[in-house]
Amino acid sequence: MEANYHEPEPFRYSLNSFIRAIKEVPLKLQNDLQLHPEARAKIKPLQDTVFKNDLFKILGKQRDFIVHHGALNLKSQGQVGTTEGRKIKLSFPFAVRPWETSDEAYERYKEICRTDKFLRGLGPDCDSAPALWRTWMIPQFPDRDLLDVAFEAWKLLGELLSGAIEAFGGEKLDLSMPCRHDPDLVHIKRFSQKEYFMSVDGIDIEAEERKWRERKASD
């Protein structure tokens, strides 16, 4: 989901696969534990926590919808703006449609900047570069990024699986998720300052910088 965050079709496929796993893994574990009543008794509180959790209930319903009706209908929000190095200089809302890639939304933004002087004035200057942010959501979690929702669900499921392993005498799982990336870095896609100036303004900023240095040297 992280790797495909800016590509709608691969992201949707990854999300659907995740939701299937979230629903099916605890059910599979529950079936397997029928043959091990002692272990089942040890982790029953963890199982109850999972099956009663509102998050799992909603994701389970979404899984049933995916199986019987097709792909999940996602909502997408976006912003465009500028960055200076790793810092955000400016950002403002910009529609990023759920069926378009972040690259396609960025091309729309540039097209508007070519004719809208005010919007162009909010764009990159000689010290900043363009960027686009997007956030995926579903109606059941209107204010939460789906990566955050998925991480919470997977960690809860991980605690259940870890409890099952411990019930059979194994070691507790490491649930720190070191492979997870900073969501703020996943949401943002940075673009070339040089390409923006050339595409929107018809200016080669590197050539202009060289001319400026040459004039300064001659002075």
Side-chain angles (χ1 to χ4, degrees), residues 144-204:
R144 294 187 64 189
D145 168 48
L146 274 174
L147 283 181
D148 181 54
V149 172
F151 176 75
E152 180 181 325
W154 201 245
K155 188 171 183 179
L156 189 60
L157 181 57
E159 291 172 354
L160 172 60
L161 295 176
S162 181
I165 291 173
E166 289 184 276
F168 283 97
E171 296 184 2
K172 185 176 182 179
L173 294 177
D174 178 7
L175 301 179
S176 61
M177 296 286 286
C179 60
R180 188 190 188 196
H181 296 87
D182 183 344
D184 290 339
L185 298 180
V186 176
H187 294 168
I188 186 173
K189 185 160 188 178
R190 303 172 189 271
F191 296 91
S192 166
Q193 178 197 49
K194 177 182 178 181
E195 190 279 333
Y196 179 93
F197 271 86
M198 181 63 72
S199 176
V200 174
D201 304 319
I203 298 174
D204 185 338

Side-chain angles (χ1 to χ4, degrees), residues 51-122:
F51 288 118
K52 292 179 181 179
N53 182 267
D54 290 338
L55 183 66
F56 269 81
K57 289 179 181 179
I58 291 173
L59 291 177
K61 290 179 182 178
Q62 294 302 325
R63 183 268 182 191
D64 292 338
F65 173 83
I66 291 168
V67 170
H68 298 293
H69 299 283
L72 184 66
N73 183 26
L74 301 177
K75 306 296 182 182
S76 176
Q77 290 184 352
Q79 292 184 322
V80 290
T82 58
T83 61
E84 289 187 12
R86 296 181 63 86
K87 295 182 179 179
I88 299 172
K89 181 179 180 182
L90 175 71
S91 66
F92 51 91
F94 184 80
V96 180
R97 298 158 183 160
W99 60 84
E100 68 181 346
T101 68
S102 295
D103 287 347
E104 291 168 341
Y106 176 66
E107 290 299 323
R108 282 196 300 107
Y109 164 64
K110 289 194 300 180
E111 183 64 31
I112 297 173
C113 287
R114 295 185 184 104
T115 57
D116 189 323
K117 293 183 179 180
F118 175 77
L119 194 63
R120 173 60 189 93
L122 298 176

